[in-house]
Amino acid sequence: MDHPFNYLFHILTIFVGGSLLFLIGFFPVSRNLTVGNDYGNSTLSLLDKTLPEPSFKHERVILMLIDAWRWDFANQTNMPYSYGSACNHINIKVNVPTVTMPRLKSITTGTVSNFIDIVLNLGHTEKLADSILHRTRAKGKNIVFSGDRTWVQLFPELFLRQKPNIDSFFVNDFYEGDKNITANVREELSLKDWHLMILHYLGLDHIGHVEGSHSNKIFEKLHEMDDVIKYIATSSEFKNTVLLVTGDHGMRNGGSHGGSDKEELHVPLMLFSDKCTKRNCTIDYNQIDMTPTLAVLLGVDIPFSSVGCLISEFIEDLSKEEQLYYYYKNALHLIEKFRRKYSLSQIKAQGYSDYYFWLTEAEMEHKHFLESNFTSFLSYEKAKKNYIRLSKNISKLLSDSSVKYDNDLIFISLVLTTTTAVHLITKVLFGTKDNFNKKWQQFSSGRLFLSIVAGLAINCIAHFLEFIYSRHFIYSAVLTVPIAISIYLAIEICLLVVQILIPMSYDRKCYFKLTIPWMLFAFFIFHTFSLVSSSLIEEEHQTWYYLTPTIMIYLTAQNVYYGIRKMWKLENNLVILASELWQMRYVIVAMLAIVFCRRLNQTGDKWRHLEDIGDILSREHNQHYLLIAFVCALIFLLWSLKKYNTPLQMVTCSIALVCVFLYREWSKSSATVVLLVFWLSVCVTAFVRYRNIFWKPKHYGYGVKSNLVDLLGSNLTISLLISALLHKPHNVVLLPALLLCLESSYYLCDNLHLYNRKLYNRCYVLVYKAVMTIFLGNMFYFFQGNSNSLSTIDINPGYIGLSSYNPFVVGAMITFNTYCAPINAFLYLVWHMFVTQKSSLPLRQEKEQVSNAQLLESTEEDLYLVISLFTATTVMPVAVYWLLLMGFRYHLFIYSVFAPKAFYECFRILVFYLNFIVTNLYFRLFQ
């Protein structure tokens, strides 16, 4: 069995590596955040190059960020002082992804952050080389900071004083971190040695993640923030100071963020000053527009990478001369970036010549205004209008074209993943009569040598013809590896095609070795190509909600049909009918469970606003119903675990589930002790089975298989117990419901085999079980409330039992909770394959007169068939999606719909890869 699973391991490793290469090429880390040359005055300018800089500047600027502060939170009820006293109150639109780190980059650099920043936000954060903070320090001005430590990671050496929140990612901290920031504000206001103070409050965001956007604590936190703003703006030290208050991103209904809902994309921006005329407006600006505006307020140069334009309302208190100067500088900065990006031929071909006309006209009117001794109001208006029009158009153009794809990596990774997926599919589907299926995993050193030589040649020719951009030698050498692997796999695919079309002999002719049910094939193709539609990606749960129950109903109908035929052929019809109906009781319960679980959590975009069971049970007056449902779900889960565990293990499982109940319902002060008992119970549950392997005499033959069955059952039990701890109380019922649906679907498949072995042979049943496992795992994944939007990721499970932020533990717990349905479904499938063979061994030995060795080999073949088909069915849609994503790279919804789905697909294949490795390791160690 080593060879087949070695092949699957290697092919999965190659595919995972190719997928990661694709993401690196499709979402490269931004390259436009490096230091560049200051442009100064453009050679296009008709104005005097010695145009004097206005003397206007504020002594100090305070930038206050309220994390997850969305537009509708800033109203008269929630924040009365801020709403009534702000000089300006405008709407800011942020870009996707709506998470902190890319949003900070947009505010400080004026660039549209790349989507890969969603990954950097959770761990390592790169240092920025140029920003509004760098420009401030270059002018000799000091900066102080307090709040989210992401700022310190982005700007590690720029602050005169810094007091970061060490546990910024610790979402259970609602108040302590914010109180420390406010205390620091009181100290800093009295000091005179700083020019820019940055405050980043996190409490509002944490409350949203833990308790949702409608929690009473949300409104308490908004009042607290209003009091902080009032304290700063009314302080005696606020003279000649500007306070800007905004949010890095919004908060969707439910409390999370990361997606593209309007509640996440719109945040308020308020300006407070002792020298302003109060005016409110509803004009929309982009978040990147804050960068040049901050540069004006601070009296510093605009960062090199900025593509934002000025917020007009924030400089209207300046003189007309000063306003035109800053409009002119911003327009000159953008036109120079535009000229460097586009050649003259591109400008003419794409109709951008008007930009130069607008600039020339604006400069002429600007010059006339200056020559009129600042009295020509008409010239001022014309110059201002053309500067703003020019800036907004170029800003939008540069923002939309800021995506830089690494086409070399994308093309190579697409070839690698496609050939890998096709190779896997062909090997799973085709076989030969001379038992060739046991030989095609063999490694061919000659073919590998030929592939390496061909890969080197292709790489060199591509670089010579400039098809591949030459960065450095190591990069070129590394590219040879995926090229050579792709060639090796392509050669094998070609040889297989030749063997199908022109076989060397009859025995070596390839044929379909799997019986693929037409319904499964049609549904699989439908789901794969449904990924072409952005709407079907947003509402993918509807696809699984339709396909999976349809297959189960189809299987049930087939069973009923053959049951009726059996009843009419035999005597005692009523007895047989009653027996068949009694056997189908679990199928009926499973169908009812699917209907109930469907209503637990609304997901997707179209119906997410509708009320679901989770919303109803979360209300305060329904807490007793939630308690009853929680207890029933735990009892149901405990009852489901009895088939995998000994009586001693059932005791420890009972203790663990009691701890889950106590953790959710008792005071958090006792949480540490409860969780300690829980983890001890889980460890004892595992120890009971592992003790039999390591401390008892070793067995051989069937005894080893029995040990493996016990260990697989124990691992499934541990996975379910941990899932129960991480799940929200109303979602715990999903765990036993998943087991019930899997068991029912497997029963229906086995029953068909018993009714008609010729039509529904062993291969047919195994294919149905593998595909049904995938379908049920995906359906329950969406039952949990997940979607293809990053905003639905539940981060609370990552912090259960933690007193501080640990990125590895948090990441592992969030991932496990998110993908627990596919993980548990796969573990159940593997356990079921072994336990089914184990139960049939004595009967098959008696009837078929086969040896233990033959039975073990049969089990291994069945298991390999199921896992290889499971792997192919998991890999193929991802490979197709990479091709679709490349085709849709300029789609309107590429960042709001297709890009988040890409991260989900990559994570899904990574989770399966790790699950496969662990399972394969057990086969090697314990069989």
Side-chain angles (χ1 to χ4, degrees), residues 225 537 782 826 859 893 896 921:
M225 294 295 98
I537 291 177
F782 287 105
F826 180 77
T859 303
F893 302 130
S896 60
L921 184 63

Side-chain angles (χ1 to χ4, degrees), residues 73 78 213-224:
F73 282 170
N78 297 333
S213 59
H214 298 292
S215 169
N216 290 331
K217 294 178 182 177
I218 288 283
F219 309 106
E220 294 174 5
K221 177 59 67 173
L222 292 173
H223 280 291
E224 178 188 337

Side-chain angles (χ1 to χ4, degrees), residues 87 354 529 589 696 770 885 898:
C87 302
D354 288 345
F529 288 96
V589 174
K696 286 190 175 183
L885 194 64
F898 291 99

Side-chain angles (χ1 to χ4, degrees), residues 63-75:
L63 175 61
M64 176 177 171
L65 275 82
I66 305 175
D67 209 296
W69 190 39
R70 75 187 197 192
W71 170 253
D72 59 333
F73 282 170
N75 55 42

Side-chain angles (χ1 to χ4, degrees), residues 77-277:
T77 303
N78 297 333
M79 308 181 75
Y81 175 81
S82 302
Y83 187 83
S85 303
C87 302
N88 296 96
H89 183 184
I90 67 174
N91 181 23
I92 293 291
K93 187 177 186 298
V94 307
N95 295 104
V96 179
T98 50
V99 293
T100 297
M101 201 264 285
R103 303 283 52 82
L104 298 187
K105 284 186 177 181
S106 292
I107 292 173
T108 57
T109 65
T111 58
V112 178
S113 297
N114 197 288
F115 211 90
I116 197 65
D117 289 328
I118 189 76
V119 178
L120 299 178
N121 186 73
L122 299 176
H124 168 73
T125 305
E126 63 172 335
K127 300 176 183 178
L128 297 184
D130 187 30
S131 66
I132 195 70
L133 277 72
H134 290 85
R135 299 297 171 141
T136 302
R137 290 292 298 129
K139 286 284 188 177
K141 299 183 177 183
N142 293 325
I143 310 170
V144 294
F145 166 75
S146 182
D148 187 353
R149 66 174 180 177
T150 305
W151 286 88
V152 178
Q153 294 172 314
L154 289 171
F155 312 102
E157 301 173 353
L158 296 183
F159 299 116
L160 176 66
R161 288 182 296 275
Q162 60 187 32
K163 292 187 178 180
N165 186 346
I166 303 301
D167 287 331
S168 297
F169 285 93
F170 187 58
V171 296
N172 291 324
D173 177 19
F174 296 168
Y175 305 108
E176 193 62 31
D178 288 356
K179 289 179 180 178
N180 293 336
I181 298 174
T182 304
N184 188 54
V185 170
R186 301 178 189 276
E187 297 177 6
E188 293 291 352
L189 280 177
S190 61
L191 302 176
K192 304 295 184 181
D193 58 347
W194 57 267
H195 300 84
L196 171 62
M197 178 163 63
I198 300 174
L199 311 172
H200 192 148
Y201 286 87
L202 291 165
L204 183 67
D205 179 63
H206 290 177
I207 294 171
H209 281 301
V210 175
E211 299 193 2
S213 59
H214 298 292
S215 169
N216 290 331
K217 294 178 182 177
I218 288 283
F219 309 106
E220 294 174 5
K221 177 59 67 173
L222 292 173
H223 280 291
E224 178 188 337
M225 294 295 98
D226 193 48
D227 291 339
V228 172
I229 295 170
K230 181 178 180 179
Y231 173 80
I232 295 175
T234 58
S235 171
S236 59
E237 307 295 336
F238 191 67
K239 185 178 180 181
N240 205 19
T241 302
V242 171
L243 169 63
L244 290 176
V245 185
T246 188
D248 53 348
H249 52 74
M251 179 190 299
R252 74 190 290 259
N253 291 327
S256 58
H257 56 87
S260 56
D261 288 0
K262 65 179 182 180
E263 293 86 3
E264 301 170 75
L265 295 178
H266 294 275
V267 300
L269 173 60
M270 295 182 176
L271 182 144
F272 299 85
S273 173
D274 60 342
K275 300 177 180 179
C276 71
T277 304

Side-chain angles (χ1 to χ4, degrees), residues 406-451:
D406 192 327
N407 293 315
D408 305 341
L409 280 182
I410 290 176
F411 178 76
I412 292 172
S413 62
L414 285 178
V415 172
L416 182 61
T417 54
T418 304
T419 54
T420 302
V422 173
H423 191 276
L424 176 60
I425 288 291
T426 54
K427 293 304 182 182
V428 170
L429 293 181
F430 291 96
T432 58
K433 291 190 176 181
D434 66 343
N435 209 19
F436 181 63
N437 59 321
K438 291 188 178 180
K439 298 180 180 179
W440 53 253
Q441 295 90 2
Q442 289 181 351
F443 175 75
S444 174
S445 57
R447 199 174 299 155
L448 178 63
F449 177 76
L450 176 63
S451 302

Side-chain angles (χ1 to χ4, degrees), residues 820-870:
C820 73
I823 292 173
N824 291 329
F826 180 77
L827 292 177
Y828 184 88
L829 173 66
V830 176
W831 173 85
H832 171 81
M833 290 300 301
F834 275 99
V835 78
T836 302
Q837 292 291 339
K838 175 184 174 182
S839 62
S840 65
L841 279 174
L843 181 62
R844 292 178 63 186
Q845 282 180 317
E846 181 180 345
K847 291 187 175 182
E848 302 174 16
Q849 297 298 316
V850 293
S851 64
N852 272 339
Q854 290 174 311
L855 292 172
L856 289 173
E857 184 178 356
S858 174
T859 303
E860 293 169 0
E861 290 177 1
D862 289 353
L863 182 66
Y864 172 64
L865 173 62
V866 168
I867 294 184
S868 59
L869 182 64
F870 195 102

